[in-house]
Amino acid sequence: MDQINTFLQTLSGLLWGWPMIILLLGTHIFLTIRLRFPQRKILTAIKLSVTRDKGTGGDVSQFGALAMALAATIGTGNIIGVATAVAMGGPGAVFWCWLTGVLGIATKYAEGLLAVKYRVKAGDGRMLGGPMYAIERGLGWKWLAVLFSVFTIVASFGIGSTVQANAISTMLYSTWSLPPYVTGGVIMLLSAAVVLGGVKSIARMCGLLVPLMALFYILGCVYILCLNYQYLVPAIDLILRSAFTPEAAGGGFVGSSVLIAARYGLARGLFSNESGLGSAPIVAAAAKTRNPVRQALVSSSGTFWDTVVICAMTGIVIVSSILAYPDIDYQNGAELTKVAFSKIPVLGSLVMSVGMITFAFTTILGWCYYGERAIEYIGGQRVTKLYLSIYILSIFAGSVGSLSLVWNVADCFNALMAIPNLISLLMLNGVLVRETRKYLWENRLDHEM
């Protein structure tokens, strides 16, 4: 078992190394240029995300689809991931993490567009879509679509159920000494009550929790920044200088190379916002929308909130806290954010705990939907009940088990998901341009397909 774990850890390092970073970042840059910088439409995207698109086909509202995508995306990666990037790559990693969010908006836009463009209506009226349908219907490569679905199913049990449940049980045990089996049982029952109700039930819960948890977490970050106001400008200055100058690190930081800062910042940013991984378009396909571009814009706003806002704020909080409190051991990435938030009098640990727990719980819900749709693509609706049963049981197993092996499996299959998805995005770029020209560049966003 140790040998398997070591192998998977090595494979994960290779998959998330420079080749994957170059592939993902290269796709972000290519689609940004090819689609004429869809980032400039981010205000339109935010407005559309809270506008009900009446009289259109789909299972959930555009906001519901966005909330589900954010539920699966905003998680421990936004909190612990950014801290790890700072610990390993220095303050400059925050800039590179933020940059992936800005550029990743274009890729998330493209994923959402193809998801709606190639979605299909099931016999019971549900809308099904995602990279597997874009690959099969757009490229005609059924085998690659099946491969993507297999990767998604395996990843859902890692990053979706077991890892998140373990994060919750660990947090509750360390904070309030709550036994993991109690936490596991409660999370399992709560998750079952939501996911067995289908996509509408998941969307309702995510639509309620995601805005609340994001607001709660952002307010906590703002409060810390107010406490650290003397160090706010120095922290931003240090982040920017460290991103390009290895000697710039100071205030207790050890200078690291620009390449190391870029390596960890880009990797954490790409992993956090999931642009290019192919997960979010699975739920984007279920949205009630008049045309593919409207939902594509709404989907792109998810990367903006996830990385450009939340990850950036987390990074600035961490760097300013280290400058303000030299006693913080910034080299311990796993504890860094927790220690920074503990500087909030009375409420610090509460903000951190509630944020982590809520982020992890909604990630469980979102990834359940992804895995369910992936297994339905392979085996039809008759196998989804079996999948849901196993998924719910895996939540309890994750709460009480040791997950070093599962973490490595999740990292590997998350990366493997990206490869078929990126192939479809690059090879179908002509479709992306045609649809964007038809609805966005020619100002026809209100027209139906």
Side-chain angles (χ1 to χ4, degrees), residues 28-84:
H28 291 352
I29 295 171
F30 170 76
L31 291 174
T32 293
I33 297 171
R34 187 82 168 98
L35 299 173
R36 300 181 187 177
F37 294 84
Q39 292 90 339
R40 59 194 172 88
K41 296 291 184 180
I42 192 63
L43 293 179
T44 301
I46 294 172
K47 180 181 177 181
L48 287 174
S49 69
V50 294
T51 303
R52 187 174 295 276
D53 209 348
K54 298 180 180 179
T56 55
D59 304 322
V60 297
S61 68
Q62 291 179 322
F63 178 76
L66 174 63
M68 286 179 64
L70 282 173
T73 304
I74 300 177
T76 53
N78 299 77
I79 303 175
I80 305 301
V82 176
T84 302

Side-chain angles (χ1 to χ4, degrees), residues 68-247:
M68 286 179 64
L70 282 173
T73 304
I74 300 177
T76 53
N78 299 77
I79 303 175
I80 305 301
V82 176
T84 302
V86 172
M88 302 297 292
V94 176
F95 170 81
W96 295 108
C97 181
W98 176 83
L99 184 63
T100 64
V102 175
L103 295 174
I105 289 172
T107 302
K108 191 63 71 74
Y109 167 90
E111 291 178 314
L113 193 158
L114 293 182
V116 177
K117 170 71 176 177
Y118 292 109
R119 68 183 181 180
V120 299
K121 182 178 285 190
D124 56 4
R126 292 175 301 120
M127 288 293 187
L128 306 176
M132 52 279 207
Y133 292 90
I135 293 169
E136 179 187 358
R137 303 184 70 208
L139 299 177
W141 296 350
K142 175 78 172 182
W143 64 272
L144 189 61
V146 171
L147 203 57
F148 171 85
S149 299
V150 171
F151 294 154
T152 303
I153 294 165
V154 177
S156 73
F157 286 108
I159 200 65
S161 59
T162 54
V163 165
Q164 303 301 327
N166 187 265
I168 296 174
S169 65
T170 301
M171 173 66 71
L172 291 177
Y173 182 75
S174 63
T175 306
W176 291 295
S177 300
L178 193 65
Y181 67 88
V182 174
T183 302
V186 172
I187 301 170
M188 184 177 68
L189 292 175
L190 289 175
S191 300
V194 177
V195 301
L196 292 178
V199 62
K200 293 182 180 180
S201 174
I202 299 175
R204 279 195 300 270
M205 180 60 70
C206 293
L208 173 65
L209 290 180
V210 168
L212 290 176
M213 74 179 185
L215 179 62
F216 189 62
Y217 182 74
I218 290 173
L219 288 176
C221 289
V222 170
Y223 184 72
I224 295 177
L225 294 177
C226 289
L227 291 178
N228 300 344
Y229 72 95
Q230 291 179 312
Y231 300 93
L232 180 56
V233 173
I236 295 174
D237 177 66
L238 180 59
I239 288 169
L240 295 176
R241 287 189 295 112
S242 299
F244 303 99
T245 309
E247 293 80 15

Side-chain angles (χ1 to χ4, degrees), residues 48 51-63 65 112-113 115-117 119 127 283-299 439 445-449:
L48 287 174
T51 303
R52 187 174 295 276
D53 209 348
K54 298 180 180 179
T56 55
D59 304 322
V60 297
S61 68
Q62 291 179 322
F63 178 76
L113 193 158
V116 177
K117 170 71 176 177
R119 68 183 181 180
M127 288 293 187
V283 68
K288 297 177 181 178
T289 184
R290 288 177 226 182
N291 59 66
V293 170
R294 287 177 71 94
Q295 183 55 36
L297 288 170
V298 172
S299 295
Y439 295 107
L445 275 177
D446 292 332
H447 288 232
E448 296 189 8
M449 290 185 284

Side-chain angles (χ1 to χ4, degrees), residues 12 16 94 102 111 180 237 241 246 268 329 343 443:
S12 174
W16 282 105
V94 176
V102 175
E111 291 178 314
D237 177 66
R241 287 189 295 112
R268 286 298 94 190
D329 178 14
K343 299 302 179 181
N443 296 316

